[in-house]
Amino acid sequence: TVYSISNGELRGVANRTRIYAAAEVRVRGIRQGDLAPVSALMERVGAEVAADPEFADSIISAPRLAFIDESDELGSVAVMRGKVVAADRWRVSTEIRLRLDQALKDEDIRLNRLVLTNGRES
């Protein structure tokens, strides 16, 4: 956190993402029995993105499983984080989400989803 105080004025600004930021991805709706395979996929995808030359310069520490959060109405929640160059946090997070989505499909792992009243999934 960088605090800036202008010319002795009594106002301050905090910038928590000046040099690096956390790229965070949450996977919700993990079904009972799928927590271990989903966690392994998250670890694999994070390592793959960090090793990809297109993203290597953006990643300070590889995104990996950080913790399993409290379950919600859909099931278990797993959270991964990595330290990335601040300006690239959304690009890295997006790439991880895209790759995780494909990895889950490839492994035939389905997540629980909310069903809206019009029948569409959320």
Side-chain angles (χ1 to χ4, degrees):
T1 302
V2 175
Y3 292 95
S4 301
I5 300 176
S6 303
N7 299 323
E9 292 181 22
L10 296 176
R11 66 182 179 96
V13 177
N15 182 349
R16 295 178 187 258
T17 59
R18 182 170 163 244
I19 298 170
Y20 67 87
E24 181 176 288
V25 174
R26 291 178 172 270
V27 178
R28 293 182 59 208
I30 302 170
R31 297 172 186 214
Q32 187 174 4
D34 284 340
L35 195 53
V38 169
S39 297
L41 282 176
M42 293 171 82
E43 291 282 341
R44 187 186 88 206
V45 166
E48 288 173 358
V49 172
D52 186 327
E54 187 176 335
F55 295 93
D57 291 340
S58 299
I59 297 175
I60 299 166
S61 65
R64 56 179 316 213
L65 180 67
F67 60 94
I68 305 299
D69 207 353
E70 292 183 40
S71 296
D72 62 17
E73 68 278 1
L74 295 177
S76 295
V77 179
V79 180
M80 65 187 302
R81 284 192 186 134
K83 189 185 284 188
V84 299
V85 173
D88 295 333
R89 74 189 289 185
W90 305 119
R91 186 173 76 96
V92 171
S93 295
T94 297
E95 185 65 19
I96 290 169
R97 286 183 181 96
L98 290 169
R99 291 187 190 200
L100 268 176
D101 182 60
Q102 187 60 53
L104 290 165
K105 287 177 186 172
D106 292 347
E107 297 294 324
D108 198 30
I109 297 172
R110 298 190 60 204
L111 302 175
N112 292 321
R113 305 266 186 212
L114 291 175
V115 178
L116 305 176
T117 55
N118 64 3
R120 295 177 53 198
E121 287 187 356
S122 167

